[in-house]
Amino acid sequence: MAGLTLRNVGKRYGALSIIKGLNLDIHDGEFLVLVGPSGCGKSTLLRMIAGLEDITDGTVAIGNRIVNDLPASKRELSMVFQSYALYPHMTVAKNLAFGLQNFKMPKAEMERRVAEAARILQIEKLMDRKPRQLSGGQKQRVAIGRAIVREPQLFLFDEPLSNLDAELRVQMRAELASLYARLGTTMIYVTHDQVEAMTMASRIVVLRAGKIEQVGTPQELYTRPQNLFVAGFIGSPKINMLQAKVDRASGEAVATVPGLPAFSLPTLPSADDGLTLCVRPGAVHIGAGEVMTQGTIRLVEYLGNESLLHIALSSGQVLLVSDNGKTSYRSGETISIGFDRSDLHYFDAAGQRVEPIQNESRLQ
Amino acid sequence: MLTSCALQRDRRERNGRILKHVFLIGVSVVMLYPLFWLLASSFKPENEIFGSLTLWPSSFQVENYTKGWTALPMSFTTFYINSAIVTVLSVIGNLISCSFAAYAFSRLQFTGRSFFFALMMMTLMIPYHVVLIPQYVQFLKLGWVDTYLPLVVPRFLASEAFFIFLMVQFFRQLPRELDEAAMIDGCSPFKIYWAIILPLSLPAMGTAAIFSLIWTWEDFLAPLIYLNDIKNYTVPLALRLFLDQEGQSAYGQMFAMSVLSLVPVVIFFVLFQKLIVRGIATSGMK
Amino acid sequence: MIKRFIARNAPGYIFLSPWLLGFFLLALGPILASLYLSFTKYDMVSDPRWVGFANYEYMFTRDRRFWKALEVTFTYVALAVPARLIMALSVAMLLDKGLRTIGLYRAIFYLPSLLGASIAIAILWRQLFEQNGVVNQVLAVFGIEGLAWITNPDTSLYTLVILAMWQFGSPMLIFLAGLRGIPRDLYEAAEIDGTPKWRQFTRITLPLLAPVIFFNLVLQTIESFKTFSSAFIISNGTGAPADSLLFFTVYLFNEAFKFFRMGYASALAWVLLLIIGAFTAIAFLTSKYWVHYENERD
Ligand SMILES: Nc1ncnc2c1ncn2[C@@H]1O[C@H](COP(=O)(O)OP(=O)(O)OP(=O)(O)O)[C@@H](O)[C@H]1O
Ligand SMILES: [Mg+2]
């Protein structure tokens, strides 16, 4: 087991820069999840760590050892691919043992590990089959099995569950989580799926265009997104964003948002020209809140345990409101909605988070 | 109304199909007739070969075969052994060297890869006649003339770029993640080639082996130039000797030996038709 | 840095090394050597003697056989390539649609291509077109008196063209693969619009097949320029009768290995290389005007 240190890591294809000077410390035994929009460089970064892509700038260290020039075969890590990448011409048993043979492991030890992995993943009955005789979920188990028999110091996963159907994905997610609990090995996990990221991660790294936007625990990212991008990216349904003008004429900072009544702002370190206010759909209440307004329901998405209402304000902006789903609403209805100012996130014109200065009086 | 229309169309289509079959069968007969004529003539008595369209011999002259086999100063046993040696070595050389090159071109990263690939593709165009003279001079200086080395050694140096191209086409279809997974599983590039790429490319290897075999078996120019002593002759060179003795008019024997020289090719064709057809369709060759 | 460069490139070059060695020793080296030899007089007994452009000068100004060889080869290419391709395309189109059992036909039509390069077939061909050969007997059935096709200089080349046509199998297979790639619904749409069959061919089949036709054309042209064995056998190794089968390759072979005029033969070899190179280049340079690849369109 080992931690991982990235220092000014960069990747260029000719003039095109894909990864731009990343710094990141991944702790020993951590489950780190990489998220970000498509094409932001998640796979590239993971493959650089694996040794499948050259590192054009900076250094990657596993433990204390800089591995830039170490080929993938010597990095003592395992990787699970989105496409599974099982060797089509080998049986499941051979697929599992293949890596161990390459490391010249004694036969008895090899057999013990393969049997152990098969038991953990419940694929004992499949050992003599070829990959094409397996279902997607079974293939995924074998792929994971192939990774764990190696007992590596580091696991890499590139969207391992994205080819599975929804139900299997939930099941495999739970199995991966329990596998992590059992092994405690450092894992780096790339995903598109919010739920996977939130439920499994010790920490999440949000990447955009080859740069880190924020690193933190799922809770930190959700409750204190450092910038507008992270605020918009983490959390589903998506956070509501309101453009506000700040008026200081009366001596106190007052926010005017089209479609909402003006309301006073807490003291912000730098709240001048433009301010973006964000509020999660779950923090907007029907018929209650410090700041209240009227809106017309445009669309009701009933999801069972909640309803997602699309509510148009008089300015035309649509807010997402998540309701407990117990009352039924019809589109076209006009209702009043509101939120508490403590649930607002504030971002300056540059999109960076600004924290209200806490201990001053906030009520008008 | 509708059904009668459909019936009519059905009938028209069926007639069209029958017409097509008739035509294709006609073409097939024309295509195959020369081959059957060759086969038939190889069993005919000398005086029946020319002057009649009948394929069936009045009596089967198996002597054409037995006599033909030993009609030349050396028996055909020698020629077949020679041909077999050259062919087997050539096929092995082709498979090893071309799959190496194809693996490098299709799966490995290195500076100059596309440059060399372009060069390789250009060599496909070069006629053998252009490199023949300097090669001959060189092999002569090495003392290789009248040995099989000039025929075989180039095969171990991937001289038939065509097979590289064929294998590259195939290797490229294999998912790259397989190499990567193997790399992470601790494989060296050679191990990946040996344990992953080759086992997954058996159809391509088979196609290359069959074509290489047939072409070497039929090869005429290189043996013609490099082999002087009749005891080194391959089968095609031996067949040509019959022509030189044409005056003695042993047509039946010549045809009999011609038939025998085609037998291995036909057998391989029948056995491996699928591989051959697919190989041509995917790579496009001669 | 250098170590890293080597480590990254080593596997590629190691695997490439047999080919690289072969490329330098068996292709590039000989081509350059042959260029040098083409400016010399060389009989393999004494060392090559530099003669400047004398070989080329003789070739272009005084050597009638050179011009004859060019004429024979170009005539052959001009006849054999279209004949073979038209045959291949027609049969491929017949096989492509509406027939369930094409496997057997495909095999029958391909077999001659596979056997075609063998000496046995060349020998057979000689006999088929003899004065008392099969062809004349068939003609006699229709009351036509045949010729000695092979020994008549006016007709000998056509026997080889027919041999080329007989071997239409591999372009046919490539055409078949190409036809398979044309989406069926294009024809169905045309059928519904009432487009006549001929226009379906010129408006759908031909344009979509253009890349395949191009590919076959280039390949077959190069192959035809290289034709040797059959011409050599049928003409008794000399290009006879009356040089009517004096293929360029046959001429070259005789100059080199019968008369040991290695310098002159090298010059011939370079002319052949340039001709084939020029044809390939022309094909590729003009291809953008008449070959449209599927994915280029959108
Ligand atoms: N060989 C290459 N040459 C040039 N650009 C490349 C190459 N490989 C990847 N890229 C570019 O690098 C960027 C990052 O790709 P990467 O695969 O890492 O994205 P990703 O975050 O994994 O996306 P996804 O979520 O869709 O898998 C993309 O814009 C891609 O186009
Ligand atoms: Mg990716």
PDB file of all heavy atoms in Angstrom, chain A residues 106-123:
ATOM      1  N   PRO A 106       5.197 -18.300  -6.926  1.00  0.00           N
ATOM      2  CA  PRO A 106       5.096 -19.750  -6.714  1.00  0.00           C
ATOM      3  C   PRO A 106       3.662 -20.224  -6.953  1.00  0.00           C
ATOM      4  O   PRO A 106       2.701 -19.511  -6.657  1.00  0.00           O
ATOM      5  CB  PRO A 106       5.474 -19.940  -5.245  1.00  0.00           C
ATOM      6  CG  PRO A 106       6.068 -18.675  -4.794  1.00  0.00           C
ATOM      7  CD  PRO A 106       5.750 -17.597  -5.773  1.00  0.00           C
ATOM      8  N   LYS A 107       3.547 -21.426  -7.474  1.00  0.00           N
ATOM      9  CA  LYS A 107       2.250 -21.915  -7.923  1.00  0.00           C
ATOM     10  C   LYS A 107       1.217 -21.958  -6.785  1.00  0.00           C
ATOM     11  O   LYS A 107       0.065 -21.565  -6.963  1.00  0.00           O
ATOM     12  CB  LYS A 107       2.433 -23.319  -8.510  1.00  0.00           C
ATOM     13  CG  LYS A 107       1.281 -23.793  -9.349  1.00  0.00           C
ATOM     14  CD  LYS A 107       1.776 -24.522 -10.603  1.00  0.00           C
ATOM     15  CE  LYS A 107       0.683 -24.809 -11.591  1.00  0.00           C
ATOM     16  NZ  LYS A 107      -0.286 -25.805 -11.231  1.00  0.00           N
ATOM     17  N   ALA A 108       1.679 -22.433  -5.636  1.00  0.00           N
ATOM     18  CA  ALA A 108       0.751 -22.596  -4.513  1.00  0.00           C
ATOM     19  C   ALA A 108       0.159 -21.242  -4.113  1.00  0.00           C
ATOM     20  O   ALA A 108      -1.059 -21.098  -3.951  1.00  0.00           O
ATOM     21  CB  ALA A 108       1.471 -23.222  -3.324  1.00  0.00           C
ATOM     22  N   GLU A 109       1.018 -20.259  -4.030  1.00  0.00           N
ATOM     23  CA  GLU A 109       0.568 -18.923  -3.649  1.00  0.00           C
ATOM     24  C   GLU A 109      -0.400 -18.370  -4.696  1.00  0.00           C
ATOM     25  O   GLU A 109      -1.435 -17.793  -4.378  1.00  0.00           O
ATOM     26  CB  GLU A 109       1.803 -18.016  -3.506  1.00  0.00           C
ATOM     27  CG  GLU A 109       1.506 -16.534  -3.343  1.00  0.00           C
ATOM     28  CD  GLU A 109       0.870 -16.199  -2.003  1.00  0.00           C
ATOM     29  OE1 GLU A 109       0.681 -17.126  -1.179  1.00  0.00           O
ATOM     30  OE2 GLU A 109       0.541 -15.018  -1.792  1.00  0.00           O
ATOM     31  N   MET A 110      -0.057 -18.646  -5.949  1.00  0.00           N
ATOM     32  CA  MET A 110      -0.890 -18.176  -7.040  1.00  0.00           C
ATOM     33  C   MET A 110      -2.297 -18.761  -6.915  1.00  0.00           C
ATOM     34  O   MET A 110      -3.291 -18.048  -6.998  1.00  0.00           O
ATOM     35  CB  MET A 110      -0.254 -18.628  -8.345  1.00  0.00           C
ATOM     36  CG  MET A 110      -0.593 -17.810  -9.525  1.00  0.00           C
ATOM     37  SD  MET A 110       0.692 -18.038 -10.760  1.00  0.00           S
ATOM     38  CE  MET A 110       0.225 -19.591 -11.445  1.00  0.00           C
ATOM     39  N   GLU A 111      -2.330 -20.071  -6.715  1.00  0.00           N
ATOM     40  CA  GLU A 111      -3.627 -20.735  -6.621  1.00  0.00           C
ATOM     41  C   GLU A 111      -4.425 -20.218  -5.436  1.00  0.00           C
ATOM     42  O   GLU A 111      -5.636 -20.026  -5.515  1.00  0.00           O
ATOM     43  CB  GLU A 111      -3.432 -22.251  -6.519  1.00  0.00           C
ATOM     44  CG  GLU A 111      -3.272 -22.864  -7.904  1.00  0.00           C
ATOM     45  CD  GLU A 111      -2.690 -24.267  -7.854  1.00  0.00           C
ATOM     46  OE1 GLU A 111      -2.527 -24.808  -6.735  1.00  0.00           O
ATOM     47  OE2 GLU A 111      -2.395 -24.807  -8.922  1.00  0.00           O
ATOM     48  N   ARG A 112      -3.722 -19.981  -4.343  1.00  0.00           N
ATOM     49  CA  ARG A 112      -4.411 -19.485  -3.163  1.00  0.00           C
ATOM     50  C   ARG A 112      -5.065 -18.134  -3.475  1.00  0.00           C
ATOM     51  O   ARG A 112      -6.241 -17.918  -3.209  1.00  0.00           O
ATOM     52  CB  ARG A 112      -3.423 -19.315  -2.002  1.00  0.00           C
ATOM     53  CG  ARG A 112      -4.098 -18.932  -0.685  1.00  0.00           C
ATOM     54  CD  ARG A 112      -3.106 -18.501   0.366  1.00  0.00           C
ATOM     55  NE  ARG A 112      -2.388 -17.286   0.033  1.00  0.00           N
ATOM     56  CZ  ARG A 112      -2.909 -16.055   0.092  1.00  0.00           C
ATOM     57  NH1 ARG A 112      -4.171 -15.903   0.450  1.00  0.00           N
ATOM     58  NH2 ARG A 112      -2.199 -15.004  -0.224  1.00  0.00           N
ATOM     59  N   ARG A 113      -4.288 -17.250  -4.115  1.00  0.00           N
ATOM     60  CA  ARG A 113      -4.826 -15.921  -4.380  1.00  0.00           C
ATOM     61  C   ARG A 113      -5.985 -15.951  -5.359  1.00  0.00           C
ATOM     62  O   ARG A 113      -6.974 -15.243  -5.203  1.00  0.00           O
ATOM     63  CB  ARG A 113      -3.714 -15.030  -4.953  1.00  0.00           C
ATOM     64  CG  ARG A 113      -2.707 -14.625  -3.925  1.00  0.00           C
ATOM     65  CD  ARG A 113      -2.023 -13.387  -4.407  1.00  0.00           C
ATOM     66  NE  ARG A 113      -0.815 -13.097  -3.672  1.00  0.00           N
ATOM     67  CZ  ARG A 113      -0.038 -12.066  -3.968  1.00  0.00           C
ATOM     68  NH1 ARG A 113      -0.334 -11.283  -4.977  1.00  0.00           N
ATOM     69  NH2 ARG A 113       1.024 -11.821  -3.256  1.00  0.00           N
ATOM     70  N   VAL A 114      -5.853 -16.764  -6.415  1.00  0.00           N
ATOM     71  CA  VAL A 114      -6.928 -16.843  -7.401  1.00  0.00           C
ATOM     72  C   VAL A 114      -8.196 -17.369  -6.739  1.00  0.00           C
ATOM     73  O   VAL A 114      -9.297 -16.820  -6.928  1.00  0.00           O
ATOM     74  CB  VAL A 114      -6.507 -17.734  -8.594  1.00  0.00           C
ATOM     75  CG1 VAL A 114      -7.692 -18.018  -9.494  1.00  0.00           C
ATOM     76  CG2 VAL A 114      -5.401 -17.053  -9.385  1.00  0.00           C
ATOM     77  N   ALA A 115      -8.024 -18.404  -5.918  1.00  0.00           N
ATOM     78  CA  ALA A 115      -9.191 -18.978  -5.250  1.00  0.00           C
ATOM     79  C   ALA A 115      -9.829 -17.962  -4.308  1.00  0.00           C
ATOM     80  O   ALA A 115     -11.056 -17.826  -4.250  1.00  0.00           O
ATOM     81  CB  ALA A 115      -8.773 -20.228  -4.467  1.00  0.00           C
ATOM     82  N   GLU A 116      -8.995 -17.235  -3.616  1.00  0.00           N
ATOM     83  CA  GLU A 116      -9.475 -16.213  -2.684  1.00  0.00           C
ATOM     84  C   GLU A 116     -10.280 -15.131  -3.424  1.00  0.00           C
ATOM     85  O   GLU A 116     -11.393 -14.786  -3.039  1.00  0.00           O
ATOM     86  CB  GLU A 116      -8.254 -15.603  -1.982  1.00  0.00           C
ATOM     87  CG  GLU A 116      -8.501 -14.331  -1.216  1.00  0.00           C
ATOM     88  CD  GLU A 116      -8.895 -14.599   0.228  1.00  0.00           C
ATOM     89  OE1 GLU A 116      -8.960 -15.794   0.585  1.00  0.00           O
ATOM     90  OE2 GLU A 116      -9.129 -13.632   0.963  1.00  0.00           O
ATOM     91  N   ALA A 117      -9.713 -14.656  -4.514  1.00  0.00           N
ATOM     92  CA  ALA A 117     -10.403 -13.620  -5.282  1.00  0.00           C
ATOM     93  C   ALA A 117     -11.718 -14.147  -5.825  1.00  0.00           C
ATOM     94  O   ALA A 117     -12.743 -13.462  -5.782  1.00  0.00           O
ATOM     95  CB  ALA A 117      -9.507 -13.133  -6.425  1.00  0.00           C
ATOM     96  N   ALA A 118     -11.678 -15.382  -6.322  1.00  0.00           N
ATOM     97  CA  ALA A 118     -12.898 -15.973  -6.868  1.00  0.00           C
ATOM     98  C   ALA A 118     -13.968 -16.071  -5.787  1.00  0.00           C
ATOM     99  O   ALA A 118     -15.146 -15.855  -6.042  1.00  0.00           O
ATOM    100  CB  ALA A 118     -12.585 -17.352  -7.443  1.00  0.00           C
ATOM    101  N   ARG A 119     -13.527 -16.404  -4.567  1.00  0.00           N
ATOM    102  CA  ARG A 119     -14.484 -16.535  -3.486  1.00  0.00           C
ATOM    103  C   ARG A 119     -15.084 -15.171  -3.131  1.00  0.00           C
ATOM    104  O   ARG A 119     -16.298 -15.006  -3.049  1.00  0.00           O
ATOM    105  CB  ARG A 119     -13.798 -17.146  -2.256  1.00  0.00           C
ATOM    106  CG  ARG A 119     -14.753 -17.615  -1.165  1.00  0.00           C
ATOM    107  CD  ARG A 119     -13.990 -18.195   0.005  1.00  0.00           C
ATOM    108  NE  ARG A 119     -12.955 -17.296   0.508  1.00  0.00           N
ATOM    109  CZ  ARG A 119     -13.195 -16.215   1.257  1.00  0.00           C
ATOM    110  NH1 ARG A 119     -14.421 -15.908   1.571  1.00  0.00           N
ATOM    111  NH2 ARG A 119     -12.199 -15.454   1.670  1.00  0.00           N
ATOM    112  N   ILE A 120     -14.221 -14.180  -2.994  1.00  0.00           N
ATOM    113  CA  ILE A 120     -14.702 -12.842  -2.631  1.00  0.00           C
ATOM    114  C   ILE A 120     -15.707 -12.345  -3.659  1.00  0.00           C
ATOM    115  O   ILE A 120     -16.741 -11.790  -3.328  1.00  0.00           O
ATOM    116  CB  ILE A 120     -13.525 -11.851  -2.544  1.00  0.00           C
ATOM    117  CG1 ILE A 120     -12.591 -12.242  -1.401  1.00  0.00           C
ATOM    118  CG2 ILE A 120     -14.038 -10.426  -2.366  1.00  0.00           C
ATOM    119  CD1 ILE A 120     -11.349 -11.371  -1.331  1.00  0.00           C
ATOM    120  N   LEU A 121     -15.410 -12.556  -4.919  1.00  0.00           N
ATOM    121  CA  LEU A 121     -16.259 -12.003  -5.973  1.00  0.00           C
ATOM    122  C   LEU A 121     -17.329 -12.990  -6.430  1.00  0.00           C
ATOM    123  O   LEU A 121     -18.083 -12.693  -7.357  1.00  0.00           O
ATOM    124  CB  LEU A 121     -15.398 -11.583  -7.165  1.00  0.00           C
ATOM    125  CG  LEU A 121     -14.465 -10.421  -6.836  1.00  0.00           C
ATOM    126  CD1 LEU A 121     -13.359 -10.314  -7.863  1.00  0.00           C
ATOM    127  CD2 LEU A 121     -15.241  -9.119  -6.764  1.00  0.00           C
ATOM    128  N   GLN A 122     -17.386 -14.162  -5.806  1.00  0.00           N
ATOM    129  CA  GLN A 122     -18.386 -15.175  -6.145  1.00  0.00           C
ATOM    130  C   GLN A 122     -18.378 -15.532  -7.621  1.00  0.00           C
ATOM    131  O   GLN A 122     -19.414 -15.538  -8.278  1.00  0.00           O
ATOM    132  CB  GLN A 122     -19.780 -14.706  -5.729  1.00  0.00           C
ATOM    133  CG  GLN A 122     -19.850 -14.460  -4.241  1.00  0.00           C
ATOM    134  CD  GLN A 122     -21.045 -13.609  -3.867  1.00  0.00           C
ATOM    135  OE1 GLN A 122     -21.664 -12.996  -4.703  1.00  0.00           O
ATOM    136  NE2 GLN A 122     -21.347 -13.595  -2.591  1.00  0.00           N
ATOM    137  N   ILE A 123     -17.208 -15.789  -8.136  1.00  0.00           N
ATOM    138  CA  ILE A 123     -17.123 -16.214  -9.540  1.00  0.00           C
ATOM    139  C   ILE A 123     -16.528 -17.615  -9.636  1.00  0.00           C
ATOM    140  O   ILE A 123     -16.051 -18.012 -10.685  1.00  0.00           O
ATOM    141  CB  ILE A 123     -16.277 -15.223 -10.374  1.00  0.00           C
ATOM    142  CG1 ILE A 123     -14.960 -14.931  -9.676  1.00  0.00           C
ATOM    143  CG2 ILE A 123     -17.046 -13.949 -10.630  1.00  0.00           C
ATOM    144  CD1 ILE A 123     -14.041 -14.061 -10.494  1.00  0.00           C
TER     145      ILE A 123
END
